[in-house]
């Protein structure tokens, strides 16, 4: 496993997003219809660019994904520590639901 600066990763993601937008602007430009003759070579190059752009976007997005198991494991510990600190009863259920024994209500992390 390697560590990567998050700011650099975010910048790379932004640049890939801009690349995808620029590729769409070029390949879908209405001025292309005004060009006489066939654009076979251009269309072939545009398809290749689209393929590479999509693959780069997929790879960059997968780099930012993190496993949720460790996050949920930490939430259980936080709930346990807070219930002890506040001298309350409660339990943590996966899916961001908390149940308080005092009020018997379910709520998500937004309190809804």
């Amino acid at each position: 496993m390697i560590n990567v600066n998050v700011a650099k990763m975010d910048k790379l993601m932004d640049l890939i997003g801009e690349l995808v937008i620029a590729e769409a602007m070029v390949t879908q430009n209405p001025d292309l219809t005004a060009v006489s003759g066939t654009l076979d070579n251009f269309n072939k190059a545009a398809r290749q660019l689209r393929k590479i752009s999509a693959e780069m976007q997929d790879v960059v997005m997968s780099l930012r994904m993190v496993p949720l198991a460790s996050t949920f494991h930490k939430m259980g510990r936080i709930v346990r520590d807070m219930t002890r600190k506040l001298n309350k009863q409660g339990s943590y259920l996966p899916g961001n639901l908390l149940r308080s024994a005092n009020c018997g209500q379910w709520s998500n992390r937004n309190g809804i």
Side-chain angles (χ1 to χ4, degrees):
M1 182 186 272
I2 62 170
N3 289 329
V4 178
N5 185 322
V6 175
K8 289 181 181 181
M9 182 65 69
D10 288 341
K11 181 66 176 174
L12 179 60
M13 288 177 64
D14 291 342
L15 289 171
I16 295 293
E18 289 179 30
L19 176 68
V20 170
I21 291 169
E23 175 261 324
M25 289 171 55
V26 169
T27 58
Q28 298 172 10
N29 192 321
D31 293 341
L32 291 175
T33 58
V35 176
S36 60
T38 61
L39 298 172
D40 291 336
N41 289 335
F42 175 80
N43 289 331
K44 183 178 178 181
R47 279 192 303 274
Q48 183 67 17
L49 176 61
R50 194 173 303 120
K51 179 183 171 191
I52 293 170
S53 297
E55 190 173 344
M56 286 176 62
Q57 190 174 30
D58 289 343
V59 169
V60 167
M61 294 301 284
S62 70
L63 290 175
R64 286 289 280 160
M65 292 183 184
V66 293
L68 289 176
S70 61
T71 303
F72 287 123
H73 179 71
K74 291 176 187 175
M75 289 299 297
R77 174 176 239 162
I78 290 170
V79 170
R80 185 194 72 218
D81 292 347
M82 290 303 294
T83 55
R84 285 183 183 166
K85 182 178 179 179
L86 298 172
N87 198 24
K88 303 276 184 173
Q89 290 183 346
S91 60
Y92 169 74
L93 300 172
N96 293 331
L97 292 175
L98 300 173
R99 181 166 189 253
S100 172
N102 294 340
C103 63
Q105 295 178 341
W106 295 93
S107 66
N108 66 14
R109 67 176 183 219
N110 297 321
I112 298 172

